[in-house]
Amino acid sequence: MRTTETSAHWGSYLVDSDESGVVAVRPHDGDESAAAMGNVVDGVRHGSRVTRPAVRRAWLEGGPGPDDDRGRAGAEYVEVEWDTALDLVAGELARVRSAHGNEAIFGGSYGWGSAGRLHHPQSQVHGFLNGIGGYVRSVNDYSRGASIVLLPHLVGAPAAADVRQRPVSWTQVEEHTDLLVTFGGVRRSNGWVVPGGQTRHVGGALARSAARTTRVVSLSAQRDDAMDGLDAEWVGVMPGTDTAVMLALIHVLVVDGLADEEFLARCTVGADRVRAYVLGETDGVPKTPAWASAISRTPAERIRALAHEMAAGRTLVNVVYALQRGERGEQPVFAGLTLAAFLGQVGLPGGGFTHGLGSMGDYGVGRVAVPLPTFGQGANPVPDHIPCARIADLLLTPGADLPYDGGSLRLPAVRLAYWAGGNPFHHHQDLRRLRRALARLDTLVVHETHWTATAKHADVVLPVAASLERDDVAAGNGDTRLRASPRAVPPPGEAREELWIFGRLAERLGSSHDHGLDARAWLERLYEDWRSTGRAPAGAPAFAEFWETGGVDLDAPPYDDPVFTAFVRDPEAHPLQTPSGRIELWSSSLEAAGLADVAPHAEWREPRRWWGSADAATYDLHLLCNQPTHRLHSQLDMGAASRSTKVAGREPIRLHPADAAARGLADGDVVRVVSAHGSLLAGVHVSDALLPGVAQMHTGAWYDPSAPEVADCVHGNVNVLTPDEPTSTLSQATSGAHVLVRVERYDGPLPPVTAHEPPPLTRG
Ligand SMILES: Nc1nc2c(c(=O)[nH]1)N[C@H]1C(S)=C(S)[C@@H](COP(=O)(O)OP(=O)(O)OC[C@H]3O[C@@H](n4cnc5c(=O)[nH]c(N)nc54)[C@H](O)[C@@H]3O)O[C@H]1N2
Ligand SMILES: Nc1nc2c(c(=O)[nH]1)N[C@H]1C(S)=C(S)[C@@H](COP(=O)(O)OP(=O)(O)OC[C@H]3O[C@@H](n4cnc5c(=O)[nH]c(N)nc54)[C@H](O)[C@@H]3O)O[C@H]1N2
Ligand SMILES: [Mo]
């Protein structure tokens, strides 16, 4: 038996392995909040592993070209030798490049594959594609796609970066904050995840410790959104309606004389116009607590009292990421910042505005993010790009102009997409539409560890080694240690490192990127570059010793001067990078953009579809689609922890007892869930932790289209239900966090779940 350390986005663990493979994966001693994501042991050697290069038979025989059959359930794949597969991929890249140019290759490849610094799939695929002349890229992310674009308009780009990198920390909350008002949950399970992983899970522990001194009010549609130990007061709010509640809180501050006029006058612009809007002077609708209550179902009296509580002491307004993953998702962020400004506490220790406490384990840990060894990607000569959530528009409407951030982007005609390290059938919305979009491609190449739905839509699938099967180094943002993550077990079958695959393709195509080294030599080079350019901590040992001892402590000092908070109160000395140098509650750059759907100030508009709309007659439940507790996105969904949550073999749907009773449903029943975009089967779990009228399912169940006569997905992938509609023309981000649905009992014969099975394979 051998023990090694492994790093994943869900943390750093000890791996016990022997000749039979991985025997156990255990947390480090003292990691009391280790993630309950024990999917690795049986997930990594599951029958759904891709073990040989495989080519879709129809593409192999018919050649490249658009194909409505791409992704058809049961479509056959032919397993081929590596040389054959590499020749096919190189030949197709060469054809597309010479016939259509590099702007016909999409390499955005969004996703959360592997935490390692070397084998990070996006760095690998981008480096390779840059080396052969470039690719159409994607910008922003699915996490904060709306606020990434919005916040620079309001506080300038550097301060917007600080809102992510150096926010008010949990330690400052513990020391200074009387009241933390969080819109959306501070969830224990979300804090387990950090891009790049974490040496020890600290986010949850810091939050619990902060709660000893700080009162927490959680505004959410779910009581258990706030982790145990926070002892939070739950205030119910219907999904997608927080902006109305925030405007009403501002209304009370204004009317009851609690707004900080001195701060507003000195450090912000536009407060007068916001005041006129909330008082109803501009549209005849005063944004009173009673008005907000009719929209949000939050009791008006609780809103009124909360405004007074917020003004009475040091208050921090937190808006979690999920709120901006909805129609006009910029608005709750805009309104949250505006509310914090009216309280006048932005820039006071422990006060003001945060955007992500509880969303990610590295948020607010209070440590400076230090530079880490990085695999260089080179330069991309192709200028074309999309906001990542517009992938289906890119493929369905080549040549169209996409409005974005006040300008517009011309969508190029893409023929070939190359995906490594992401699962669009997990992350994208309206999967019927995504399938129509992928059908337009000549060729889809996918690198995968497992036969995901994305792999099952590919024309060529190349099998890659998983994190446990290769040497790497890892650390997260603000982490305290750079860890060696040595290979624990060999890869199965013929799976190879991405590094190897791109090296072989580069030999065939010629490349300006350096593909000459093997993994160990690359690691040594990345590490020694880092050391010799002064980015490593003083006294960091040479590579051999680092590898031998398993890591090096990082010099990530605590920050006690979040720049956003410190500077913002003195705009004369430290102007923000906004046109006025101040926080823009009325943004002159948004005003200049003149968008129909985003005003220059925080604003409530009725969503196209929501619980109060005409659609609600057909679709009468508001479904929350949030991050899964027992897995990272869709990864290792076949593993034990993820499986343990399933009901009747399907992804569970939580329903309020009143909603379950009205439909004659009980725990364990199977239901059909239907939206305007698609349908799925799910297993019922009745819970009074929800508001009536609200249902909840986690993202990440593998897409299973094998019985379309029953439902688009018989396993419960929520993204068959969600709309592929942008947040707004400003940010063009995903709006997949919620959708209106109808839930009905399903009594028909239960189709088997085949999502975790490989496709039919034959040897070529
Ligand atoms: N409805 C709805 N949809 C959402 C969200 C939501 O809230 N609601 N959340 C969104 C958010 S915030 C995000 S970040 C996205 C996440 O979307 P993704 O990041 O695309 O989801 P993952 O399941 O993590 O996909 C990673 C894939 O990489 C593979 N992989 C792992 N390691 C490697 C490797 O070394 N090489 C290669 N080639 N592959 C590897 C895994 O098997 C997996 O299939 O989902 C988004 N989608
Ligand atoms: N265990 C686990 N943790 C993860 C991930 C994972 O896959 N698994 N993914 C990671 C990633 S990539 C990201 S981006 C973050 C995302 O972090 P978040 O976006 O914060 O996470 P979610 O779980 O989608 O949403 C948190 C809660 O917000 C509430 N909520 C949703 N919409 C609304 C709304 O309109 N109003 C209010 N008041 N509340 C609302 C829901 O009740 C939900 O439980 O999570 C990270 N953490
Ligand atoms: Mo995310």
Side-chain angles (χ1 to χ4, degrees):
M1 187 76 72
R2 206 165 91 88
T3 298
T4 48
E5 187 168 354
T6 185
S7 291
H9 297 297
W10 53 90
S12 164
Y13 293 87
L14 298 171
V15 184
D16 299 326
S17 58
D18 63 16
E19 284 65 49
S20 70
V22 179
V23 176
V25 175
R26 316 174 261 128
H28 289 274
D29 291 341
D31 190 357
E32 41 98 28
S33 13
M37 285 195 202
N39 294 316
V40 169
V41 176
D42 46 3
V44 87
R45 279 302 152 96
H46 191 257
S48 58
R49 276 305 291 267
V50 189
T51 56
R52 304 195 65 207
V55 186
R56 193 166 67 91
R57 181 177 288 285
W59 185 92
L60 188 63
E61 291 170 357
D67 184 353
D68 289 335
D69 252 14
R70 191 170 276 124
R72 181 176 53 78
E76 202 181 296
Y77 281 79
V78 182
E79 292 185 325
V80 298
E81 299 300 323
W82 266 110
D83 273 335
T84 310
L86 292 165
D87 288 343
L88 285 168
V89 173
E92 180 57 1
L93 281 165
R95 181 191 72 85
V96 169
R97 198 167 53 151
S98 67
H100 310 286
N102 281 72
E103 60 275 15
I105 300 172
F106 179 72
S109 193
Y110 181 81
W112 276 61
S114 177
R117 304 295 303 170
L118 172 63
H119 296 291
H120 180 238
Q122 279 72 29
S123 305
Q124 291 288 333
V125 68
H126 296 160
F128 165 70
L129 291 173
N130 285 337
I132 62 161
Y135 63 97
V136 178
R137 68 191 204 281
S138 58
V139 298
N140 307 339
D141 57 31
Y142 279 72
S143 315
R144 297 173 300 132
S147 53
I148 281 175
V149 180
L150 174 75
L151 283 172
H153 288 278
L154 311 185
V155 299
D162 272 355
V163 172
R164 172 71 178 93
Q165 299 288 346
R166 289 155 71 94
V168 174
S169 68
W170 285 113
T171 316
Q172 291 160 341
V173 170
E174 180 170 1
E175 273 172 35
H176 303 287
T177 311
D178 299 313
L179 177 62
L180 167 62
V181 177
T182 178
F183 292 87
V186 176
R187 292 175 69 84
R188 176 195 298 269
S189 53
N190 283 355
W192 286 330
V193 168
V194 166
Q198 221 171 17
T199 302
R200 296 277 187 280
H201 289 86
V202 292
L206 288 171
R208 282 194 302 282
S209 140
R212 289 198 306 250
T213 55
T214 304
R215 195 158 73 82
V216 181
V217 174
S218 166
L219 287 105
S220 169
Q222 305 197 77
R223 183 179 58 222
D224 50 6
D225 239 5
M227 65 175 94
D228 308 338
L230 284 187
D231 213 10
E233 175 194 344
W234 179 39
V235 175
V237 54
M238 287 299 279
T241 67
D242 305 76
T243 302
V245 173
M246 294 169 184
L247 291 170
L249 289 166
I250 297 172
H251 186 277
V252 177
L253 296 180
V254 169
V255 170
D256 293 352
L258 301 170
D260 187 335
E261 300 299 339
E262 188 276 332
F263 177 83
L264 288 170
R266 195 165 53 81
C267 305
T268 74
V269 291
D272 285 350
R273 298 164 96 164
V274 173
R275 206 180 284 113
Y277 169 70
V278 298
L279 293 175
E281 289 164 9
T282 49
D283 61 359
V285 182
K287 313 300 176 297
T288 62
W291 166 83
S293 180
I295 293 166
S296 64
R297 300 184 183 168
T298 308
E301 269 325 301
R302 190 66 198 93
I303 298 176
R304 186 178 308 285
L306 184 59
H308 282 261
E309 292 159 29
M310 291 172 87
R314 186 60 51 83
T315 296
L316 183 62
V317 176
N318 181 48
V319 177
V320 307
Y321 297 171
L323 271 73
Q324 44 91 72
R325 267 186 248 116
E327 184 182 342
R328 299 182 75 248
E330 296 84 5
Q331 296 308 316
V333 177
F334 204 160
L337 177 68
T338 306
L339 170 60
F342 271 76
L343 287 165
Q345 300 195 17
V346 184
L348 295 179
F353 173 74
T354 47
H355 176 37
L357 281 178
S359 295
M360 207 79 90
D362 63 350
Y363 195 90
V365 297
R367 300 213 154 250
V368 171
V370 295
L372 298 170
T374 300
F375 182 80
Q377 301 180 10
N380 184 354
V382 174
D384 304 271
H385 61 279
I386 55 163
C388 57
R390 297 281 59 83
I391 175 68
D393 300 75
L394 170 71
L395 303 180
L396 289 168
T397 56
D401 287 311
L402 185 79
Y404 173 65
D405 200 11
S408 114
L409 301 170
R410 171 64 54 89
L411 301 179
V414 165
R415 306 288 177 136
L416 182 155
Y418 207 122
W419 225 289
N423 185 3
F425 281 87
H426 167 71
H427 63 238
H428 199 59
Q429 286 56 63
D430 193 348
L431 296 184
R432 275 190 205 167
R433 184 169 189 256
L434 179 67
R435 293 181 100 180
R436 284 201 304 280
L438 292 175
R440 304 315 333 129
L441 286 166
D442 288 353
T443 299
L444 174 61
V445 181
V446 169
H447 289 194
E448 254 299 349
T449 52
H450 291 74
W451 278 104
T452 62
T454 302
K456 290 178 188 167
H457 281 72
D459 300 306
V460 184
V461 183
L462 302 180
V464 298
S467 298
L468 287 162
E469 298 157 359
R470 56 197 186 189
D471 293 334
D472 214 331
V473 300
N477 245 334
D479 209 338
T480 50
R481 190 168 168 81
L482 177 74
R483 306 172 297 275
S485 183
R487 165 191 281 205
V489 289
E494 294 175 23
R496 295 278 186 279
E497 292 171 356
E498 247 120 7
L499 199 62
W500 180 90
I501 299 172
F502 288 128
R504 302 293 81 70
L505 288 173
E507 276 168 16
R508 285 165 169 80
L509 288 163
S511 167
S512 61
H513 196 73
D514 186 352
H515 290 281
L517 307 177
D518 68 8
R520 196 59 84 82
W522 261 117
L523 286 173
E524 180 159 2
R525 183 194 282 188
L526 297 190
Y527 180 89
E528 290 301 343
D529 277 357
W530 178 65
R531 220 163 64 97
S532 64
T533 52
R535 290 172 296 152
F543 179 74
E545 189 186 335
F546 158 79
W547 193 256
E548 186 64 29
T549 50
V552 59
D553 288 338
L554 294 169
D555 194 7
Y559 60 76
D560 44 22
D561 60 333
V563 179
F564 175 58
T565 49
F567 281 8
V568 91
R569 300 189 77 83
D570 191 357
E572 298 299 324
H574 302 288
L576 294 175
Q577 274 185 33
T578 55
S580 61
R582 304 166 189 208
I583 301 177
E584 303 222 340
L585 305 180
W586 178 283
S587 158
S588 50
S589 53
L590 288 179
E591 185 172 26
L595 303 175
D597 53 355
V598 180
H601 64 94
E603 184 205 42
W604 168 257
R605 277 188 219 172
E606 242 172 52
R608 285 184 294 268
R609 304 191 185 90
W610 66 303
W611 70 266
S613 73
D615 276 25
T618 329
Y619 304 111
D620 55 355
L621 290 175
H622 200 129
L623 180 71
L624 289 167
C625 313
N626 61 340
Q627 309 299 326
T629 49
H630 286 68
R631 55 182 178 256
L632 174 68
H633 311 139
S634 69
Q635 293 187 40
L636 306 177
D637 180 35
M638 74 298 288
S642 183
R643 262 190 353 253
S644 75
T645 67
K646 310 268 172 180
V647 174
R650 330 272 142 172
E651 192 62 23
I653 183 169
R654 296 212 302 178
L655 295 171
H656 186 272
D659 294 320
R663 290 160 185 78
L665 297 169
D667 273 346
D669 286 347
V670 173
V671 287
R672 233 176 132 251
V673 184
V674 187
S675 80
H677 307 281
S679 57
L680 57 75
L681 295 186
V684 170
H685 180 68
V686 179
S687 166
D688 67 2
L690 296 163
L691 289 182
V694 176
Q696 179 264 330
M697 287 184 78
H698 290 303
T699 56
W702 280 25
Y703 178 55
D704 192 331
S706 60
E709 66 289 356
V710 175
D712 289 286
C713 174
V714 298
H715 182 213
N717 180 329
V718 290
N719 278 327
V720 300
L721 305 172
T722 52
D724 183 11
E725 288 164 3
T727 44
S728 74
T729 58
L730 178 73
S731 60
Q732 296 283 359
T734 176
S735 61
H738 12 90
V739 59
L740 289 186
V741 297
R742 176 174 85 231
V743 172
E744 53 199 31
R745 168 187 291 284
Y746 178 75
D747 284 324
L750 267 184
V753 172
T754 62
H756 302 135
E757 290 169 19
L761 297 168
T762 52
R763 285 279 174 135

